[in-house]
Amino acid sequence: MQRILLLLILTTTTLFSQSQTELSYYLPQDVSLNPTIPTPQSVLGHNVGEWHVTHDKLVEYMKALANASDRITLEDRGKTFEDRPLLLLTITASENHKNLDAIQSAHIKATESNSANAENRPIVVYQGFSIHGNEPSGSNAALLVAYYLAAAEGAEIEDLLKNTVILFDPSLNPDGLQRFAYWANTNKNINLNPDPNDREYSEVWPGARTNHYWFDMNRDWLPVQLPESRARIETFHNWMPNILTDHHEMGTNASFFFQPGIPSRTHPLTPQLNQDLTKGIATYHAKALDKIGSLYYSEESFDDFYYGKGSTFPDINGGIGILFEQASSRGHIQESENGLLTFPFTIKNQYTAAFSTLEAANSMRKDILEYQHNFYKNARAEASKEGKNAIVFGDEKDAAKTYHLAEILKRHRITFHDLKSDFSKDGKNYKKGYSYVVPKNQKNTRLINAMFEKRTTFEDSLFYDISAWTFPLAFNLDYTETTTANAGDEVTDLKQHKGGVSSKSDYAYLFEWHEYYSPKLLNAILKKGVRAKVAMKRFKANGTSYDYGTIMIPVKNQELSTSEMYSFLNELAQQSHITITAVSTGLNDGIDLGSRNFSHLELPKIALLVGDGMTSYDAGEIWHLFDTRYDIIATKLDTKSISRADLSRYNTIIMVNSNSGLSESSTKKLQSWISNGGTLVAYKNALKWLNSKKLMTIDFKKNKLTAKNITYEERSDFRGAQVIGGAIFETELDRSHPINFGYKNDKLAVFRNSTLFINEDKNSYNNPIQYTKNPLLSGYISEQNLDSISKTVPFKIGKIGRGKIIGFTDNTNFRAFWYGTNKLLMNAIFFREEM
């Protein structure tokens, strides 16, 4: 009987799903469609929702639409890491296309002048789909939305297109979308199977949520570290859209969410009117979803705090961001608490929300245009009160980190200046060419505040994402309040520091370890087979002071001749933007160049553990760091392959945050490898696993939490308030320890999003990085956790035989924009033998 019932369900779901993929299922029936506009099926070869669209087919269809419709123009804004195009469609009335430059100019001018006429100006709406590759209903709905906007006929669509310029991004994550379409399609049955246990609904590691390097790109709108982000941010600032929609998916047993989020979790810099307008737009979503009988909710989840998300980034830029979250079928059809959830149904909801947004934009056009105008008018009034106030940031020893923060400011159209001349303040030196001045009196003053502020008080104690992202702290740069009196010329052509060798030497070359790209330079030197050493103590040579970690390259007894060595190092120094100094004697004030206090260095041979049990985000950040910034090759070693891998090929293995560790046999093999001289660098929960396996003895600080006067209804919020979602803390450094080579200050801001606390060692020299007594710099932490973290350590070394384990409680490479702590990992790798 059960088999007959199952067969009946499968047959019914197959027929039901197939009937859902016809255009009539999605589109209004009372609107005529232009027959010269190609339907999705005519180009794709299948109906929307029948298969998951691959990115190449999505591109093909968007090109076909642009060729067929005078309402659409198509722009290729660049490439992903996998060389897929980053397309943008501009959709509006054909008459508007003839005058698009003037429309764009008037729209931008309204954000820069004290008066603007909203009467006849079109509203600008940026519609973005599926920034997470395995949340594909958005991009699949984009096929239908674009088709309808091109093909629909009648007064209603003509009025909409006349009053609206739509910036249409059909796939915010082409690489992830392609990866997921492959998974879902190759695991699809002819007889659709809704069983959640089917392989179709369980992707292999790392999944397709992320881009090529396994980044969650919906956290990169503010840091702008990825090519996909850079393309969309340029579009954003070129147009300053009034509304930006971000189409996502969530758990299968959910329904449909649209913003506003939880009101108390809105960033204080976001005007209340922004939330009021968002709530007004929400009534259009509710009406449209009511019409098709879809369940939904609002204001009960998610938030508008971190400005690095697509739904929140517009809020600090005079626009309105809107998050849509659709319950996900994760394939073609799946059982859920709300009945059978089909892929076409998820597409239909996204399609419906896309058009309810456009309806709201058209109906509320004047109010929203006036809101944006007044946002910047008020911002300029705030800025004018700043007068000549400014922020200076820089690092007198590291031009590269300074450059890369300035690069982010430039992408966000924030004005900054060169430093007029060197000066000092609060014990920090700001050096011309290594520092920039940001006037506060400018259009984007609110965005500047959002990027530079340190905030430690909050209305709510729960956060969907991080609670702090203070950029100069993330980059480990000195910064302070100053005035424009210290500002030189405005920087319009931002360039990196020029590197090179000071002169030719017959004796030795030196370069300090402070510059961000020092690891890139050293790796290239060692890879060439050139001998290099690191200074374990400070010294002076030719009157110049050299810090801990200075790299020395002797000229003699090398495979390269004197001339070849000069040419080789000069080329590398230019590529790494570093100055290498030639010296003619080994006699110094302090340690001499032949001293035993210069330690020999070996080329790192690195394996990065990936696969089941490892956190893909953390692994991807390290892969990206090595591959795109330091030109370091690291083998991505799958946890399933350790048993048959020759680990002797590597002297360093990196184990990122792990939720399950390794099998017993793999654990024993790893232990043997460490005992024979290998170095394991481990992060976060991997430390708990190492401690449980007795590979490393760690004195974790116990945190006893008791709920008092907390109701059952409040229990979730109580527990959530103990989570450190992402905050910034101050540590003290022992700069003589190799883990801290390259840091010029004795304090370092570190990012933390865990509650792993390690008690300090009884021997102070074993605590080279230690949290200060009151370490919170920016972000939220509960009072109990703040007490727990005081004077604990985020770093520990353990030894097994001839090898060692180097452990970090938190991610030193967070989301690619934490430049300031990248060097901790590089020190663990290059100076592993010295620790």
Side-chain angles (χ1 to χ4, degrees), residues 148-255:
Y148 187 83
L149 289 171
E153 296 178 324
E156 185 175 340
I157 190 69
E158 293 291 347
D159 180 68
L160 172 66
L161 293 173
K162 177 185 176 182
N163 291 317
T164 314
V165 173
I166 303 163
L167 307 173
F168 196 84
D169 195 331
S171 174
L172 292 163
N173 182 2
D175 295 346
L177 184 73
Q178 186 80 8
R179 197 157 70 240
F180 185 71
Y182 163 80
W183 177 263
N185 290 338
T186 55
N187 286 285
K188 177 187 176 183
N189 297 303
I190 294 175
N191 298 293
L192 300 183
N193 185 357
D195 183 352
N197 295 317
D198 191 86
R199 189 171 190 261
E200 181 178 353
Y201 312 112
S202 181
E203 296 172 80
V204 294
W205 194 98
R209 176 182 175 87
T210 51
N211 76 338
H212 175 77
Y213 284 104
W214 309 332
F215 278 84
D216 181 342
M217 295 197 300
N218 196 39
R219 304 300 186 266
D220 194 43
W221 289 78
L222 199 56
V224 207
Q225 296 300 301
L226 306 170
E228 299 92 339
S229 308
R230 292 172 183 178
R232 65 176 182 259
I233 289 301
E234 184 174 4
T235 297
F236 185 96
H237 287 299
N238 284 343
W239 270 102
M240 300 301 292
N242 301 98
I243 299 173
L244 186 147
T245 59
D246 194 13
H247 292 254
H248 288 254
E249 291 181 4
M250 53 183 168
T252 302
N253 290 320
S255 57

Side-chain angles (χ1 to χ4, degrees), residues 604-650:
K605 298 175 182 177
I606 305 167
L608 171 64
L609 293 184
V610 300
D612 292 344
M614 302 297 123
T615 300
S616 59
Y617 293 156
D618 294 14
E621 287 157 3
I622 292 174
W623 177 24
H624 174 268
L625 178 71
F626 288 163
D627 203 27
T628 69
R629 294 184 186 168
Y630 291 144
D631 293 341
I632 293 174
I633 295 175
T635 295
K636 297 186 292 299
L637 181 60
D638 198 289
T639 53
K640 296 177 181 177
S641 305
I642 291 179
S643 60
R644 59 180 182 274
D646 177 9
L647 298 187
S648 67
R649 295 171 61 95
Y650 316 109

Side-chain angles (χ1 to χ4, degrees), residues 84-102:
R84 291 189 174 87
L86 297 166
L87 296 187
L88 181 77
L89 285 70
T90 302
I91 307 176
T92 188
S94 58
E95 292 78 8
N96 287 344
H97 272 295
K98 297 173 185 176
N99 197 33
L100 200 59
D101 289 344

